[in-house]
Amino acid sequence: MQDRPNYYLLLDLDPSVNDWPAIETRLREKKRQWSLEKTQGNPAFQRKAAHNLSISREIEETLKNPETREQEAKEARKLQEQARQSKLKELDEGIQLLRADNQCTREQLALLVKQFGGAISEKDIEARIRKAGIRIAESKSGGSGPLPFKERIEQTLSNSIKSNLDVLKLDNLYKFLGLNPRSSPRVLCETANAINKEILKIGLTDPESSARKELAGLCLALFRDEKEKEKYDNTIALEAMDQLKNSIELVGKDGFISLSEMDGLVKLARSRGVQPADARAHIEEYARKRKWGFQSEKRSASATESMGQLEAEIELRGGDMRITLKEMDELVKRARELGILLDDARAYVEDYARQRKWTVQSDAKSASGLAFTRRLRVFLCHASCDKNPVRDLYGRLLKEGIAPWLDEEDLLPGQQWEMEIRKSVRESDAVIVCLSKASINKTGFVHREIKYALDVAEEHPEGTIFIIPLKLEECDLPDRLQRYHWVSIFESNGYDKLLRSLNRRHESLLRLPTQT
């Protein structure tokens, strides 16, 4: 993976443009634009513009040479395809929300076209809707308006955080610190302080280092106590809900949100880290502002919120990272005392356990004799230089219902990291070895991880899918991995091939004798 922006995309150029004079003209226009931006706007944008100007000579040399220009155009097309696939996933989320009524009105279709028209054609959107078994129907009506909820940080501060996070290609301050949102203010501030000291010691002033320094300072202010931390949590929750505005508009286009549509929206919000009660309150208030009706049958509408009262008890029961049948029955009994339907309670506990990567004992043993159903545990072996693409892979696998292990997500402060990594490799069902040109030529712990994974692989029966070499870009395979067939994630069908291997591994585990 290139550790810099793609020059075609940076210049807003179509990768099909292969004429140097046309490219040179665009580069001159961009340099004028960057010169202006360097002296105005917020500091993060100024630094970005200054950095772009500093690499303008490198941009010119790369795009003037026909051979490197073609390589850059090829990479740009690949990145555009990745962005398109991301949009298709977002579109599919919207289509899932239409399943409640099993139809899409013309107005809803128009809304989807407006939302995704830049990346996906109307014809493709309509075909995708029909393929999902949803019919296109005639329409009704709508209006406008978002809403605030709970105390949050100032908008200018929020903008500053976002612009600096964009430089690092991160979503929030917790990702920046490499900590869980449930971490205490003390731990968050200690980590921010350590990052700040590291940056000052090294003394770099490039855009990424400057962004890290500014974010570390903001973390010290925002996480100084629980009250300030709560403001930030409310802010990112609201931002997450704002991202769902199009989805809310989509299901409410007929002027009414049903229970099943509400549940679908809450589930979508929860996948983005928003508490169910906050998500529901936001959607209901949004509906009121738009003068829509919404179904509010207590038994279902309040189930998720009421179950939230039992989260501490669920955590207690799941202390050993599993929920037994007896524990499930006790939790459901407690939920029934709160007036929650049995199915709602059981679904909530199972979903909570999946989020926490726990095992849940099923009501009956499967035909294979497996008493516990659990997610496939996958260790992501990688070099630090490949952090960004590996983070993306981690997120994609998580959405597939797989339990990937990534150091920055799963290592806790105070743990002996080398021991924990060895333990995680041994406990994993599969190890994905992420490779790039930089990582195969880099000495360090990643090669020790590979060696340890190979040792563990020797303990598995012959023919077991355990080690999966995954190329992040075109690169050579290390000698010690030559006997394993690899997958290229950057190819159009690479991710599907990876999933097929992981599914095959999961199926082989289901054929094993009972295990916990």
Side-chain angles (χ1 to χ4, degrees):
M1 297 289 288
Q2 294 175 314
D3 191 22
R4 60 165 176 80
N6 179 274
Y7 296 149
Y8 265 94
L9 302 184
L10 185 63
L11 298 178
D12 296 322
L13 268 173
D14 190 305
S16 63
V17 176
N18 194 35
D19 179 46
W20 166 242
I23 296 172
E24 186 180 30
T25 301
R26 177 60 63 87
L27 178 58
R28 281 199 298 268
E29 291 171 357
K30 280 291 184 180
K31 285 168 71 174
R32 284 196 293 271
Q33 178 187 327
W34 294 332
S35 295
L36 288 172
E37 291 175 349
K38 183 182 175 183
T39 59
Q40 58 192 24
N42 69 53
F45 287 143
Q46 289 179 17
R47 288 195 297 269
K48 190 174 181 180
H51 175 69
N52 290 342
L53 280 172
S54 72
I55 62 172
S56 58
R57 177 63 62 88
E58 182 185 335
I59 297 172
E60 181 176 345
E61 289 173 356
T62 301
L63 297 182
K64 194 171 184 178
N65 182 299
E67 186 177 334
T68 54
R69 182 166 69 234
E70 176 54 34
Q71 291 174 356
E72 200 72 10
K74 183 179 178 181
E75 176 69 14
R77 285 189 286 270
K78 185 179 83 173
L79 291 171
Q80 285 179 334
E81 178 58 25
Q82 289 174 355
R84 184 175 183 275
Q85 291 301 321
S86 177
K87 282 289 183 185
L88 284 172
K89 275 197 167 185
E90 196 178 335
L91 170 62
D92 287 341
E93 285 180 347
I95 291 173
Q96 283 300 315
L97 294 171
L98 298 174
R99 286 190 177 280
D101 291 335
N102 206 35
Q103 69 172 16
C104 175
T105 67
R106 287 291 170 186
E107 286 185 359
Q108 288 172 321
L109 177 60
L111 194 67
L112 288 172
V113 170
K114 182 180 178 182
Q115 183 181 352
F116 298 102
I120 312 168
S121 70
E122 180 174 356
K123 182 180 177 182
D124 287 344
I125 291 172
E126 189 166 342
R128 217 166 177 87
I129 292 170
R130 294 187 189 281
K131 188 177 178 181
I134 297 170
R135 68 186 186 88
I136 308 292
E138 294 311 313
S139 54
K140 297 182 186 176
S141 60
S144 84
L147 50 97
F149 69 92
K150 294 191 176 182
E151 191 177 6
R152 55 191 191 277
I153 63 176
E154 294 291 333
Q155 188 60 48
T156 51
L157 182 57
S158 178
N159 291 341
S160 177
I161 293 169
K162 187 176 187 308
S163 60
N164 281 293
L165 287 171
D166 285 345
V167 173
L168 303 177
K169 298 178 181 175
L170 295 173
D171 298 330
N172 57 57
L173 292 177
Y174 297 115
K175 291 278 182 71
F176 166 67
L177 295 174
L179 294 172
N180 191 290
R182 296 188 182 189
S183 302
S184 68
R186 179 182 61 80
V187 171
L188 293 165
C189 286
E190 285 175 356
T191 307
N193 203 30
I195 292 172
N196 201 33
K197 285 180 180 177
E198 179 193 353
I199 295 167
L200 291 173
K201 183 179 178 181
I202 297 172
L204 294 176
T205 57
D206 59 283
E208 286 198 3
S209 297
S210 299
R212 282 168 58 81
K213 184 174 184 297
E214 192 164 334
L215 287 172
L218 289 169
C219 286
L220 291 171
L222 287 169
F223 298 138
R224 63 178 180 267
D225 56 43
E226 285 289 355
K227 185 178 179 183
E228 292 303 312
K229 179 179 180 295
E230 186 180 359
K231 286 182 185 178
Y232 178 68
D233 290 342
N234 293 338
T235 302
I236 58 176
L238 181 62
E239 288 171 352
M241 290 305 299
D242 282 343
Q243 292 171 13
L244 295 182
K245 179 181 174 182
N246 288 321
S247 295
I248 299 172
E249 284 286 335
L250 184 65
V251 300
K253 208 61 183 173
D254 60 354
F256 186 81
I257 298 180
S258 68
L259 274 178
S260 55
E261 288 170 335
M262 177 69 81
D263 289 344
L265 288 168
V266 170
K267 184 177 180 182
L268 203 53
R270 194 173 180 206
S271 71
R272 285 160 168 75
V274 184
Q275 289 297 315
D278 289 340
R280 192 176 297 279
H282 182 108
I283 297 163
E284 288 180 355
E285 183 61 22
Y286 192 100
R288 289 189 192 97
K289 295 257 184 180
R290 300 285 272 112
K291 298 181 180 177
W292 296 340
F294 56 88
Q295 196 173 354
S296 56
E297 186 180 355
K298 183 181 176 182
R299 67 185 187 98
S300 175
S302 62
T304 308
E305 183 178 350
S306 299
M307 282 300 295
Q309 300 172 32
L310 297 180
E311 284 194 357
E313 191 167 341
I314 298 172
E315 281 286 338
L316 183 64
R317 306 280 184 183
D320 58 354
M321 298 189 70
R322 73 178 194 177
I323 301 288
T324 65
L325 275 177
K326 182 180 178 182
E327 288 168 337
M328 175 67 83
D329 290 340
E330 288 168 350
L331 286 168
V332 169
K333 184 179 178 182
R334 284 280 293 113
R336 293 290 286 147
E337 290 170 3
L338 295 173
I340 301 165
L341 289 176
L342 185 145
D343 287 345
D344 287 343
R346 189 177 297 279
Y348 185 98
V349 176
E350 288 176 347
D351 187 47
Y352 191 95
R354 278 193 292 272
Q355 299 258 352
R356 302 285 279 118
K357 301 179 184 177
W358 298 341
T359 57
V360 179
Q361 190 173 8
S362 59
D363 289 325
K365 291 187 178 181
S366 67
S368 62
L370 199 64
F372 281 82
T373 58
R374 64 166 175 81
R375 300 162 81 185
L376 190 73
R377 295 184 295 247
V378 176
F379 183 87
L380 299 180
C381 175
H382 67 288
S384 56
C385 57
D386 295 323
K387 226 24 152 181
N388 286 338
V390 174
R391 281 192 195 108
D392 292 341
L393 177 62
Y394 174 89
R396 294 176 76 179
L397 292 176
L398 208 56
K399 289 179 181 177
E400 299 289 350
I402 293 167
W405 196 97
L406 183 63
D407 50 5
E408 68 176 24
E409 293 288 343
D410 296 284
L411 271 178
L412 298 175
Q415 286 185 321
Q416 296 180 34
W417 57 271
E418 186 168 350
M419 182 183 76
E420 288 299 320
I421 285 173
R422 285 177 173 271
K423 178 183 173 186
S424 297
V425 170
R426 181 165 290 282
E427 291 179 349
S428 292
D429 301 313
V431 174
I432 297 177
V433 182
C434 302
L435 302 166
S436 67
K437 292 174 184 174
S439 68
I440 60 175
N441 294 315
K442 184 176 181 180
T443 58
F445 190 73
V446 65
H447 288 285
R448 292 207 293 275
E449 285 182 11
I450 294 173
K451 182 179 182 301
Y452 188 64
L454 287 167
D455 291 341
V456 175
E458 292 297 326
E459 300 172 12
H460 289 277
E462 190 174 348
T464 298
I465 294 177
F466 182 69
I467 292 180
I468 304 174
L470 182 142
K471 293 184 179 183
L472 298 169
E473 62 182 351
E474 193 53 63
C475 61
D476 295 328
L477 207 64
D479 290 342
R480 66 181 76 182
L481 296 177
Q482 287 287 342
R483 60 176 162 151
Y484 297 102
H485 189 55
W486 73 89
V487 61
S488 299
I489 195 69
F490 55 87
E491 292 180 353
S492 58
N493 62 343
Y495 183 65
D496 288 338
K497 284 183 177 179
L498 173 64
L499 287 185
R500 286 205 297 274
S501 288
L502 294 175
N503 285 335
R504 180 74 61 84
R505 175 60 174 144
H506 196 222
E507 288 169 2
S508 71
L509 289 170
L510 293 177
R511 291 192 293 270
L512 293 174
T514 301
Q515 61 187 47
T516 58

